[in-house]
Amino acid sequence: MASIKLSHITKSFGSVTAIKDINLDVVDGDFLVLLGPSGCGKSTLLRMLAGLETISDGAIYLGDRRIDGLPPSERDMAFVFQSYALYPHKSVGENIGFPLLMRYFRWWFHIPILGTIAKRRVERSPEIAQSVTRTAKILGLTEMLDRLPRTLSGGQRQRVALGRAMVRQPEVFLMDEPLSNLDAKLRTTMRAEITKLHRDLKGTFVYVTHDQVEAMTMGTKIALLRDGQLQQFGTPREIYEDPANTYVAGFIGVPSMNLIRSRYSDDGFRIGPVKITLPNRLMAAARKANCPTLLGVRPNALRIGRSDEPHALQGTVVLVEQVGAESNVSVELTADATSVEQDQSSNTIIITTPGYSELELGTLISVSMDLEQAVLFSAKTGERIRA
Ligand code: ATP
């Protein structure tokens, strides 16, 4: 069983605590994405799983086996690096077969001539040759087995690196930003290829990225980190629809969720001077919290409406960005209906509208909200408020 359990994992580098008391349960066959901005500790966590970094506290289990004291070679995990880490003087076939060759390694492989002949014989053994051929076929590398890495494109090199991990048939694949050296188009293609690989191999994958689109499209689970702390762990849908705090809400989704300053008092729920009728669950949450709140509304849950509509906010168009099938319209709300964006006070919200927006800058508009999809946070702590 390739389930992984991280129990109270902590990592300190001198006075810097890079990972703070992380608990995660990864089910066999999951594609876990470790997501977060630069420096949040994702690579450190992955390296601890691989055994390339010691842990300061806690325990790591693979199935029922505790593995944090084991060397990397005994963990049954294969690591794919951002830099591919291929051997430049070895052919594609030799690179892919290298981990298998290592299984048969003997000290006398180092002896000149004799060692070379012995290595060749092992490399050509039916077991290794068949594994390399099968792996190359899955990855579309059959025609390139005799070429050197420098003659390949970035995407092809990354496939060789994947192949080298696959031949070992590990229980767990660990990948550290494997697509970050590729251009946008190739990233999209490789994203789909790795997802398919995961489906076909049915292994457990742990994948590090700072790219939320990769996380949302590839992961069956996402662990979102910030400053070494776990912010939320769940399916991509849970993280998108049910964010635990304003940090998660702001990190996932492009453009970010709008966070609109609001408050509940005895005469109802208001954004600035505008009285808002919330759905029952949100009203109950606001009443219970009884503190200044941030109403979280995704840009696609906002609509440019008529001013006489209920819940309509007034504002001025300050920016229109055309992004092909839709447009992102930034609207500066009129005084008092103040909103905040992630970590910084601002008076602007973003609306995503279908098609090519012809709105002129400076136009006065009304904004109506689909509050069925809205969520509520404490303005003080940023934590989610639930009924
Ligand atoms: P990136 O996306 O930029 O690679 P990351 O989320 O993977 O970032 P880590 O590389 O895990 O972040 O680093 C987390 C924190 O630990 C950072 O503050 C980093 O400076 C620190 N750190 C990592 N490795 C070491 C080390 N060997 N010695 C000291 N500090 C380290």
Side-chain angles (χ1 to χ4, degrees), residues 267-284:
D267 70 337
F269 187 82
R270 285 179 190 274
I271 296 173
V274 185
K275 196 163 175 181
I276 306 287
T277 310
L278 290 177
N280 289 341
R281 75 183 161 88
L282 283 183
M283 195 56 119

Side-chain angles (χ1 to χ4, degrees), residues 84 153-159 179 181-194 214:
Y84 321 136
S153 71
Q156 289 162 343
R157 280 182 220 182
Q158 194 49 272
R159 273 188 267 154
L179 308 186
N181 290 337
L182 307 180
D183 66 42
K185 189 153 181 269
L186 204 49
R187 281 176 84 113
T188 313
T189 317
M190 285 299 294
R191 223 161 60 199
E193 286 192 21
I194 294 178
E214 272 178 27

Side-chain angles (χ1 to χ4, degrees), residues 13 16 18 37-45 53 177 208 210:
F13 295 104
V16 178
S38 183
C40 73
K42 354 178 246 306
S43 297
T44 301
L45 200 54
E53 202 75 74
E177 307 233 21
V208 160
H210 61 269

Side-chain angles (χ1 to χ4, degrees), residues 367-386:
V367 181
S368 57
M369 301 179 275
D370 175 1
L371 292 171
E372 285 306 324
Q373 302 174 39
V375 286
L376 208 57
F377 302 97
S378 158
K380 215 161 114 196
T381 64
E383 291 302 311
R384 181 75 176 276
I385 301 172
R386 298 174 198 273

